[in-house]
Amino acid sequence: MELQDIDASLILQNSRVKLLTRLDRKDPSGWLKDVNGFANTKGGFLYVGVGDKTAKRIGLSKEQTSEEKAFFLHCLKEHMEILPELTIQPIPYRIRDKELYVLKIEVHESSSKPLLLHYGGFSSVFLRRDGYTSLANQEELKRMFLMSQQKSFDQVVTDKEYREEDFTEYFQFCEENSQKKPTFKELASLPFFDDKKNLYEGSYLFSNRCKDQNTKVVCSVYSGKTKGEDAFISSQTFQGSLIQDYRFIMDFIQPRDLEKIIKKETSHIVIKSYPIRSVFEGVINALAHRNYFMENTQISIDLFVNRLVISSPGDLFMVGEMKYTHDFTSFISRRRNELICSCFILAGAMEAKGTGLEKIAQDYQNADLSHKPYLFSKDGQFSLVLPDLNYEEGVDFLEDELVLLSKIENPSRFDNRVLAYCLNTSKSIADIAKHCEVSPSSFFRSIIRNLASQDFLLMNKQGNRTLYTTNLSLVHIR
């Protein structure tokens, strides 16, 4: 069986593809050079769990897949000071009754070339040419350095002079999160201002007097699950400094963050709809990684009956459009706005390494799949979705995000909708029919029986009721 059987997009003759049986642990320099070469040219793909010459699938167990991924990220952090942007995806397939995986790693082209690889006491730059990885020559290095001199939005100098009294709100924010006010020396080292004490665009966004037109925030509440006109309740708009934006958003969300109390014999447990830490991390990430070059845009905070959606202008930096994913561990932090991020780090609101997504994943680690947070990037913005932990049904996933590991015989137009609705939750035929906006007729029941007979739906009894749950060994989410 060939790798192309499970990844139709693969072109084996493509010079941007590298096939590996396993990641070499004794001498990882070979595949590290390939990663560095991909990042310094047009990007590329590593497939782990494949015969490197035959393209036959060898496959990895679930545990081996996790080990390969962890080792890959560990080596990159150890040998590359600036990390490339990655998308890591385990591709499942079945042989007989055994589930195996091929680990697909996409290395995106870097916008901060050249990226250096530190190995064996040397620092080198590699390029990918015609299917081979080799050292960059002096002329190529010079060209990459010249092309990387373009400054980001937040590092452009303004004509506004730094005055301490203009940053009282930022200093208060610092004291709340790091228990101390930044010193003049700490600000100068960011740098918060240049040698003439002129502010940069990024530091100006933290000023009490900030009037930048691209700091608009719109917070909205809906009574349903979509943005239909009949579901709209209210909307509030604000525009100010990043600290003022932050406080406006938190003041909007917190009164609507409801609690559920579960009583125990000797105590009780309080479950908030949205963990405070996750909301904080999501809001700070939206402010820090927003694309401030995009005019007439806004950060959108949308509260639906089953989820909170935090959307910020600009695709995920160095990733572009991305399908829905629950896997936050596949992201390595890359900063669109280095100075803005540094200001938040100094304030204790961000960590020097990481995106804050790991903390969100921890908050939801005990949640079922329909209550797991997820991330996506499309239509010129990136969005974080936090499901309401107190909304029993959780979040329905888009039907076109399902991956079926085998073909449905005698398919119907309802199949994907049914499988998406029953993901990780048990539903009766009456529930499913209502969700599909049809009656539980004999015809509709035959559709459910057809899915169950092929094991796409699993049946279980609860008293006199027959309930159906999507079989996660045959149905995956992209």
Side-chain angles (χ1 to χ4, degrees), residues 25-26 38 49 56-57 88 91 136 142 146 157 193 255 257 281 294 296 299 381 385 403 406 409-410 431 433 444:
R25 279 154 170 75
K26 292 184 178 179
F38 285 144
K56 295 285 185 182
R57 293 177 296 176
I88 303 178
I91 304 177
K142 181 179 178 180
L146 288 173
V157 179
F193 38 75
D257 190 3
E281 295 292 341
M294 296 177 67
N296 302 314
I299 286 178
Q381 66 179 15
V385 180
V403 177
S406 62
E409 295 182 7
N410 301 316
D431 293 332
F444 188 75

Side-chain angles (χ1 to χ4, degrees), residues 103-167:
L103 188 61
K104 178 181 178 180
I105 303 172
E106 181 176 4
V107 182
H108 298 274
E109 180 180 3
S110 174
S111 65
S112 303
K113 302 174 187 176
L115 297 191
L116 273 64
L117 177 66
H118 307 290
Y119 198 89
F122 297 94
S123 296
S124 307
V125 174
F126 291 88
L127 298 176
R128 187 76 173 174
R129 307 182 184 89
D130 301 321
Y132 296 94
T133 300
S134 57
L135 278 168
N137 60 41
Q138 190 172 7
E139 189 64 29
E140 289 167 332
L141 283 173
K142 181 179 178 180
R143 184 167 61 250
M144 281 191 284
F145 275 116
L146 288 173
M147 291 178 66
S148 68
Q149 296 304 306
Q150 183 178 1
K151 292 184 178 180
S152 62
F153 166 87
D154 63 336
Q155 294 177 329
V156 176
V157 179
T158 72
D159 58 358
K160 302 171 180 67
E161 186 178 355
Y162 170 71
R163 298 191 307 172
E164 183 175 346
E165 60 268 28
D166 291 341
F167 290 89

Side-chain angles (χ1 to χ4, degrees), residues 92-276:
Y93 66 96
R94 297 185 72 84
I95 294 183
R96 300 181 182 89
D97 293 328
K98 189 175 183 181
E99 186 173 65
L100 295 173
Y101 297 81
V102 168
L103 188 61
K104 178 181 178 180
I105 303 172
E106 181 176 4
V107 182
H108 298 274
E109 180 180 3
S110 174
S111 65
S112 303
K113 302 174 187 176
L115 297 191
L116 273 64
L117 177 66
H118 307 290
Y119 198 89
F122 297 94
S123 296
S124 307
V125 174
F126 291 88
L127 298 176
R128 187 76 173 174
R129 307 182 184 89
D130 301 321
Y132 296 94
T133 300
S134 57
L135 278 168
N137 60 41
Q138 190 172 7
E139 189 64 29
E140 289 167 332
L141 283 173
K142 181 179 178 180
R143 184 167 61 250
M144 281 191 284
F145 275 116
L146 288 173
M147 291 178 66
S148 68
Q149 296 304 306
Q150 183 178 1
K151 292 184 178 180
S152 62
F153 166 87
D154 63 336
Q155 294 177 329
V156 176
V157 179
T158 72
D159 58 358
K160 302 171 180 67
E161 186 178 355
Y162 170 71
R163 298 191 307 172
E164 183 175 346
E165 60 268 28
D166 291 341
F167 290 89
T168 54
E169 293 177 344
Y170 173 64
F171 296 149
Q172 182 182 352
F173 181 77
C174 293
E175 290 173 342
E176 292 171 358
N177 292 280
S178 65
Q179 286 71 57
K180 68 183 185 68
K181 174 184 173 181
T183 65
F184 183 88
K185 185 176 181 181
E186 287 174 323
L187 292 174
S189 66
L190 286 180
F192 205 74
F193 38 75
D194 66 8
D195 54 1
K196 297 180 181 178
K197 293 183 65 177
N198 284 334
L199 294 168
Y200 292 95
E201 289 283 5
S203 49
Y204 171 65
L205 294 181
F206 288 90
S207 168
N208 305 347
R209 299 173 178 270
C210 174
K211 301 296 181 183
D212 192 282
Q213 62 178 349
N214 291 328
T215 60
K216 184 179 178 182
V217 172
V218 177
C219 298
S220 306
V221 183
Y222 301 87
S223 62
K225 297 179 181 178
T226 68
K227 291 187 176 182
E229 291 183 5
D230 57 336
F232 179 77
I233 295 179
S234 66
S235 182
Q236 298 177 25
T237 300
F238 182 80
Q239 193 167 316
S241 73
L242 297 189
I243 302 304
Q244 292 164 357
D245 279 355
Y246 161 78
R247 297 201 187 283
F248 174 78
I249 294 171
M250 298 302 285
D251 288 344
F252 178 85
I253 294 173
Q254 286 177 342
R256 297 170 173 84
D257 190 3
L258 305 179
E259 294 181 349
K260 179 180 180 181
I261 300 176
I262 301 176
K263 293 183 178 180
K264 301 290 184 178
E265 290 184 5
T266 59
S267 63
H268 66 274
I269 300 174
V270 177
I271 300 177
K272 296 186 73 65
S273 292
Y274 308 105
I276 293 175

Side-chain angles (χ1 to χ4, degrees), residues 375-395:
L375 192 72
F376 65 93
S377 176
K378 67 176 183 179
D379 299 331
Q381 66 179 15
F382 65 92
S383 299
L384 170 70
V385 180
L386 301 178
D388 184 340
L389 290 173
N390 291 321
Y391 189 83
E392 186 175 347
E393 292 185 9
V395 176

